[in-house]
Amino acid sequence: MVRIAVAWSGLELTAFRSVLDAAALPDPVEVVPLGDEIGTALTALGRSAPDIVMLPQAGQLRDLVAAGRLREVPGELWYGPDGPRYADQWRELCHHRGRPYGVPFKASGKSLIWYDRDAFAGSGLGDPTAWTVDDWLAGVGEAAGSDRRLLALGAADGWVLTDLFENLLLAESPAVYRALGAGPRDWDVAAVRETFRRLGGLWGIRDGLPGGVGTALTRQFADSVRDVFDHRRALAVAAPDFAEPVVRDALRRSGRSEDAAAVVPFPGTGPGAAGPRIVGGDVMVLTRAAGSRAEAVVAGLAAERVPVPWIEEVGGFLGPNLGTRARYSRWAAPTAGALADWPDFDLSDRLGAVGGRDGLWRVLTEFLITVGDRGGDVAAATGTAVTTLSRFERGWR
């Protein structure tokens, strides 16, 4: 029996099980769903230890290799008869000193905004497809206090906050975003401060969030999607492509057609400016105790056709294998077709502890609380956030 640890739950976990059922793998597989505790899979010992981990923070791979927790994956999985099977950004993340230690399984496009087309048409705010970042900021103010606020926020999931921060930072300064990902890192720079200022514009408007900051802090990612398409408390939500199954379910529950939902790329900072294009995803890694049977399972799951049931029957999955061909939904097809050319990987996944719960997650949560309903000083909160990140950075090193 080969044990696979995953972070997925709910619809995603069900979809993964459907993939396993259709994959005809060489050995039986036991799925171990660990949720946010997925990191414990890499320290478990004995019979309870998994052989394969679906690592949701691919940027941690090199640190895990250095700590002696991973073994190599077969190098031939990275190449097919027509050349590389994966885009360059995956190679950079999954190789260490020229050797492969991971294989991409699931990609995600993290620079998207989902919106209720019907509600926007009746809101008087106009068409958001050509909006800039500042147009979205202005819209938050215009919709504040109304029956439907502009943007829902699932702040109980820290990665939702980091995704928004990363998109705004990459839109503001690709150079600073990439420098932070490469290290050594300096948080006290103008682009980071400007990003916090814009976050203050999104979160610091009184009555700008559905239910206020207190409610946002209790709402998870899926809840914020339902706030738009089921409960109809907001017009839009910044969410990755894997919002798709939740969107579809919410529309079904509210008795509406799928035509009511639309997706727009995350905007740039000015008219015609390039918007951010951030890739995330899950990488298969082998624990040190894994054997040849686990290698064979990884090879089976890396096959081009394996994710097709998830893509076509559930949605919310982008195939990182360049040879994967599937019928994507109209929401996902544009992103799936362009993803190999998206140049930037999820920043918080590359920062180690600084990007996690006690680092960027906590800093952004405290910033949200400070500038939220109480109308805190955005400039002062920005200074505190930058100082805290800098101190954490020094302590982590």
Side-chain angles (χ1 to χ4, degrees), residues 140-167:
V140 170
E142 290 185 48
S146 64
D147 291 339
R148 295 192 72 171
R149 314 300 161 81
L150 181 62
L151 287 169
L153 183 66
D157 285 323
W159 64 263
V160 170
L161 304 183
T162 61
D163 276 7
L164 187 54
F165 173 85
E166 290 164 22
N167 274 293

Side-chain angles (χ1 to χ4, degrees), residues 11 225-226 229-230 243-256 258 314 331:
L11 291 171
V225 177
R226 295 186 187 102
F229 297 104
D230 187 0
E244 180 180 342
V246 186
V247 172
R248 185 173 284 112
D249 182 64
L251 291 173
R252 179 185 59 79
R253 288 176 179 274
S254 61
R256 294 197 293 156
E258 292 186 359
V314 180
W331 298 318

Side-chain angles (χ1 to χ4, degrees), residues 261-276:
V263 182
V264 65
F266 201 97
T269 56

Side-chain angles (χ1 to χ4, degrees), residues 94-167:
C94 295
H95 284 66
H96 182 61
R97 295 181 178 175
R99 297 180 177 180
Y101 287 89
V103 180
F105 177 72
K106 180 180 185 291
S108 59
K110 293 205 157 194
S111 299
L112 304 171
I113 297 178
W114 295 74
Y115 68 97
D116 187 325
R117 193 197 308 269
D118 296 340
F120 246 102
S123 69
L125 293 175
D127 181 356
T129 56
W131 281 12
T132 66
V133 167
D134 288 338
D135 290 329
W136 283 97
L137 266 65
V140 170
E142 290 185 48
S146 64
D147 291 339
R148 295 192 72 171
R149 314 300 161 81
L150 181 62
L151 287 169
L153 183 66
D157 285 323
W159 64 263
V160 170
L161 304 183
T162 61
D163 276 7
L164 187 54
F165 173 85
E166 290 164 22
N167 274 293

Side-chain angles (χ1 to χ4, degrees), residues 149-208:
R149 314 300 161 81
L150 181 62
L151 287 169
L153 183 66
D157 285 323
W159 64 263
V160 170
L161 304 183
T162 61
D163 276 7
L164 187 54
F165 173 85
E166 290 164 22
N167 274 293
L168 289 170
L169 178 60
L170 182 54
E172 176 65 28
S173 175
V176 169
Y177 182 97
R178 291 162 191 163
L180 288 171
R185 290 179 285 271
D186 181 3
W187 292 96
D188 194 1
V189 295
V192 171
R193 289 181 174 274
E194 179 63 12
T195 298
F196 276 108
R197 184 194 70 78
R198 285 201 163 102
L199 279 176
L202 288 174
W203 296 342
I205 301 296
R206 187 173 297 277
D207 296 324

Side-chain angles (χ1 to χ4, degrees), residues 68-88:
R69 294 181 181 173
L70 303 183
R71 57 171 291 183
E72 289 184 47
V73 300
E76 61 267 22
L77 297 181
W78 278 82
Y79 295 93
D82 299 322
R85 287 177 170 159
Y86 304 97
D88 287 344

